[in-house]
Amino acid sequence: MLKLKDITLANNIKMPPIGLGVYKMQAGLEMNQAVKAAYENGYRLFDTAQMYGNEAALGTALKENDIPREDIFLVSKVDNGNQWYDQTLESLKITLEKLQTSYLDAFLVHWPGQNKERTISTWKAMEEAYESGLVKSIGVCNFEIGQLQYLMEHCRIQPMINQIEYSPLFHQPELVSYCKEHQIQVMAWAPLQRGSFGETILSIAEKYQKTPAQILLRWTIQHGIIPIPKSKNPDRLRENIDIFDFSLKAEDRNALDQLRQEKRTSFDPLTFDF
Ligand SMILES: NC(=O)c1ccc[n+]([C@@H]2O[C@H](COP(=O)([O-])OP(=O)(O)OC[C@H]3O[C@@H](n4cnc5c(N)ncnc54)[C@H](OP(=O)(O)O)[C@@H]3O)[C@@H](O)[C@H]2O)c1
């Protein structure tokens, strides 16, 4: 079975180079089958969130499939309504109960929002959770450079991860460079552009005799970023992790880089608030 080389975070915690995102994965059969197929095919990272409403379903699927806790890297995220110090710590307890575990491998702030005081209060709770050992690493999602700068000027422990929208259509080289300079590992959400592929991707796939999804995920990995593609389909799950036996040439990477458009599929972190 595929054994992948881990990535090392700033605090020396090891993290798998690809994972399964479970946004919109339904509780029960769909989750159980996907988790089973993922684990059997070498996935060791599972990404959920309080917001997805399926932490308990993921916890059950991991248990029912007898997946050893120490084998996997479990990620969840504090929901917007659970921000601020006390609520964040309280919500983490519930997350751990739902996932049937005593710790998370990474706990992330889901959205920055526009209230700086709330961000810092929430981050202090993340630091507390980290220092108490309930979470092995802490990070954020959807933070832009200015928001990271502000956080880092006001924190004791720097974020180790920033999970952002990232695909050829929407990628932010300046943000990614900033994260690399500060040893913040970038994770890519919606790395498959939610299953929509244009002409350039299709023709590169044809050239390498790979699928369009494999081309997108390989491109992400070659940028040093951890993709967390979602699929409920066992064949696609297998396809999506089968990307470690080829490399994209510079010309093809550049062609994909150039598909960049300034169009997000979700909220703008610089204005979105809650
Ligand atoms: N931090 C954040 O703010 C944030 C935001 C959004 C998402 N996320 C995380 O990122 C994960 C991934 O993002 P996402 O789920 O939005 O989008 P995505 O992974 O880009 O796309 C998922 C879609 O692509 C389809 N798909 C999967 N494999 C495929 C393949 N090989 N060929 C063609 N289509 C394929 C899936 O359908 P099937 O399931 O039917 O295969 C699903 O409809 C989420 O699950 C979640 O964990 C985080």
Side-chain angles (χ1 to χ4, degrees):
M1 206 247 317
L2 196 62
K3 176 89 181 82
L4 304 178
K5 194 168 176 297
D6 284 334
I7 282 170
T8 304
L9 296 178
N11 62 343
N12 280 327
I13 292 283
K14 306 276 186 210
M15 183 169 182
I18 186 168
L20 174 67
V22 302
Y23 178 46
K24 295 202 169 152
M25 197 89 80
Q26 286 176 14
L29 192 62
E30 185 170 298
M31 180 73 87
N32 283 11
Q33 282 183 346
V35 166
K36 181 173 191 286
Y39 187 73
E40 285 174 356
N41 284 288
Y43 289 78
R44 292 294 177 267
L45 189 171
F46 295 87
D47 179 272
T48 184
Q50 295 171 355
M51 198 182 278
Y52 305 164
N54 61 12
E55 288 173 311
L58 176 59
T60 301
L62 292 167
K63 269 266 142 48
E64 286 186 359
N65 286 296
D66 293 324
I67 296 178
R69 176 66 185 90
E70 63 279 10
D71 264 18
I72 58 163
F73 192 102
L74 208 45
V75 183
S76 194
K77 316 180 189 96
V78 61
D79 200 354
N80 300 340
N82 292 333
Q83 287 207 19
W84 295 99
Y85 185 84
D86 288 340
Q87 292 93 312
T88 297
L89 289 175
E90 196 47 45
S91 78
L92 173 60
K93 269 197 229 156
I94 298 168
T95 282
L96 294 174
E97 277 164 24
K98 287 184 172 169
L99 284 164
Q100 303 181 45
T101 181
S102 58
Y103 68 95
L104 290 180
D105 296 281
F107 193 38
L108 311 178
V109 177
H110 210 144
W111 282 93
Q114 309 307 314
N115 182 336
K116 289 182 172 167
E117 198 191 333
R118 180 181 58 203
T119 301
I120 299 309
S121 166
T122 304
W123 192 254
K124 284 190 195 315
M126 304 296 279
E127 292 175 330
E128 165 67 27
Y130 177 67
E131 286 178 326
S132 68
L134 289 178
V135 304
K136 304 291 176 206
S137 59
I138 49 178
V140 294
C141 305
N142 303 304
F143 272 51
E144 296 288 315
I145 292 176
Q147 292 163 328
L148 285 172
Q149 274 167 340
Y150 185 82
L151 181 60
M152 291 201 287
E153 279 161 14
H154 294 83
C155 71
R156 287 186 298 109
I157 304 171
Q158 296 205 351
M160 294 140 203
I161 293 170
N162 189 15
Q163 186 181 114
I164 56 174
E165 180 170 3
Y166 190 87
S167 72
L169 284 186
F170 184 79
H171 57 108
Q172 298 173 278
E174 304 79 10
L175 175 56
V176 170
S177 298
Y178 180 87
C179 288
K180 283 186 180 159
E181 270 166 40
H182 293 85
Q183 280 197 286
I184 300 171
Q185 176 62 48
V186 176
M187 294 175 75
W189 65 256
L192 297 176
Q193 302 177 168
R194 296 191 160 138
S196 101
F197 315 116
E199 202 38 60
T200 305
I201 296 165
L202 293 172
S203 73
I204 295 176
E206 177 71 25
K207 175 172 162 187
Y208 286 83
Q209 289 294 291
K210 297 286 174 186
T211 69
Q214 289 172 326
I215 296 298
L216 291 189
L217 296 169
R218 186 68 216 175
W219 173 83
T220 307
I221 281 183
Q222 286 185 226
H223 276 293
I225 292 173
I226 299 176
I228 44 167
K230 178 260 169 186
S231 182
K232 61 178 178 325
N233 174 319
D235 290 335
R236 284 176 167 178
L237 280 162
R238 197 170 311 118
E239 170 188 329
N240 293 347
I241 203 169
D242 185 16
I243 54 167
F244 294 93
D245 63 347
F246 77 107
S247 259
L248 293 171
K249 294 195 178 116
E251 69 203 50
D252 299 311
R253 287 209 315 264
N254 293 341
L256 293 165
D257 288 347
Q258 280 163 22
L259 296 177
R260 184 179 175 193
Q261 299 175 2
E262 292 307 312
K263 267 204 314 212
R264 298 174 183 277
T265 62
S266 188
F267 311 113
D268 182 345
L270 293 178
T271 53
F272 172 65
D273 205 9
F274 41 85

